[in-house]
Amino acid sequence: MKITRARALGTCFGVRDAIEAALDPAFKGDLTIVGQLVHNPQTVQKLRDHGVQMVDSLDDEIESRNVMITAHGTAESVKEKLSDRGFTVYDASCPLVLRVHTAVRRLVSEGWHPVVFGQEKHVEVRGIVGDLEDYTVVGGSGDIEKLAGKARIGIVCQTTHRITEARGILDEIRNRFPEMEVEFVDTVCKPTKDRQSAVEELADDLARGQGVMVVVGGYNSSNTRKLLEVCSERQVTAHHIENEDQLESAWFTGVEHVGITAGTSTPHEVVDAVHVRITELSR
Ligand code: SF4
């Protein structure tokens, strides 16, 4: 059985740098992360093992002096609130998320109504819109009517959005509101684009050879779900797992080609362990 890894997969530099920062021994266990730093259970456990505490929101009790903002970023007002409460704030926001914040500030200053293509409740999107008085989040075609009556809209994307989907919605907006002025800033990050194009290539290969894909990533990871969507569109069977223990030998019976891909918060050692386990199961 042939096993192929997607040519780009797993942890991106933004997540890697944030994890390294949180594991810095200088914190001596005196650190709380607000929100999930990464959507990966093994990494979350490693952080806990290093004494890092995690809370879901600012309303939760924080016992450390140091507080870390996740790679997904947050609103300036949130950082100010934390400082006002006496915490020392460490900002592990990915520079490519901060690029989205900068793009939105520029659009607003130029008089565009800010629009974000993304998931309304996702922490990254909450951070992008958190300081805005007026904005619209478009999760899909069903949200386009929310833009009725706007004269000028400036659009950015959640960094992990599928760029093909974003361009499709953009076309729908232009067709539905031909009079509307639209400025689009492509803020899907390069690591996401690389992983999306790599999984598309591999899924096309698997579709030709009746192969199956194994997608490794947290069940609550947005970008991992996008990798599964790519497989589903090509009618390639995909199995979503968080670690190698969840692999089932029956998935590979009679299969000649297995592809492996992984979301941007999946550590490379987890991908390696999955690869080894599939090799064992194929014997
Ligand atoms: S997915 Fe992109 S924006 Fe998000 S942390 Fe990784 S590199 Fe940064």
Side-chain angles (χ1 to χ4, degrees), residues 12-15 71 94 96-97 124 159-160 189 191-192 264:
C12 60
F13 77 90
V15 167
C94 174
L96 299 184
V97 172
E124 182 188 316
T159 55
T160 50
C189 73
T192 292
T264 51

Side-chain angles (χ1 to χ4, degrees), residues 188-209:
V188 176
C189 73
K190 182 160 185 316
T192 292
K193 283 180 180 159
D194 288 347
R195 281 152 185 72
Q196 285 174 4
S197 60
V199 76
E200 281 165 13
E201 274 171 29
L202 183 52
D204 283 341
D205 256 9
L206 296 173
R208 281 190 287 272

Side-chain angles (χ1 to χ4, degrees), residues 48-141:
R48 287 196 202 286
D49 292 345
H50 278 74
V52 178
Q53 298 165 60
M54 278 160 254
V55 296
D56 290 333
S57 83
L58 288 180
D59 301 328
D60 295 323
E61 194 178 340
I62 299 176
E63 290 168 355
S64 64
R65 275 179 306 127
N66 302 305
V67 172
M68 180 171 276
I69 303 302
T70 75
H72 298 302
T74 195
E76 283 304 312
S77 51
V78 169
K79 287 188 237 172
E80 281 161 21
K81 267 188 213 149
L82 286 166
S83 295
D84 291 348
R85 284 169 60 186
F87 297 113
T88 304
V89 180
Y90 290 85
D91 191 351
S93 302
C94 174
L96 299 184
V97 172
L98 295 178
R99 201 178 124 235
V100 190
H101 290 230
T102 305
V104 169
R105 277 197 296 274
R106 198 257 303 162
L107 290 167
V108 171
S109 73
E110 292 175 359
W112 302 93
H113 171 76
V115 175
V116 183
F117 284 173
Q119 296 166 274
E120 180 118 44
K121 294 201 171 123
H122 192 280
V123 61
E124 182 188 316
V125 175
R126 300 317 309 155
I128 294 167
V129 302
D131 293 324
L132 302 176
E133 283 173 17
D134 190 21
Y135 61 86
T136 306
V137 177
V138 172
S141 301

Side-chain angles (χ1 to χ4, degrees), residues 115-119 138 155-158 161 166 169-170 173 184:
V115 175
V116 183
F117 284 173
Q119 296 166 274
V138 172
I155 304 169
V156 295
C157 304
Q158 186 176 338
H161 212 61
I169 295 174
L170 190 59
I173 290 172
F184 175 66

Side-chain angles (χ1 to χ4, degrees), residues 140-189:
S141 301
D143 289 335
I144 288 177
E145 283 310 311
K146 289 190 202 168
L147 301 171
K150 307 285 182 217
R152 302 177 80 228
I153 63 167
I155 304 169
V156 295
C157 304
Q158 186 176 338
T159 55
T160 50
H161 212 61
R162 281 184 72 190
I163 189 61
T164 46
E165 191 183 327
R167 293 201 183 281
I169 295 174
L170 190 59
D171 286 344
E172 285 183 53
I173 290 172
R174 288 191 165 126
N175 290 335
R176 172 69 185 84
F177 306 110
E179 305 300 317
M180 192 182 277
E181 264 191 90
V182 179
E183 167 96 343
F184 175 66
V185 188
D186 173 4
T187 52
V188 176
C189 73

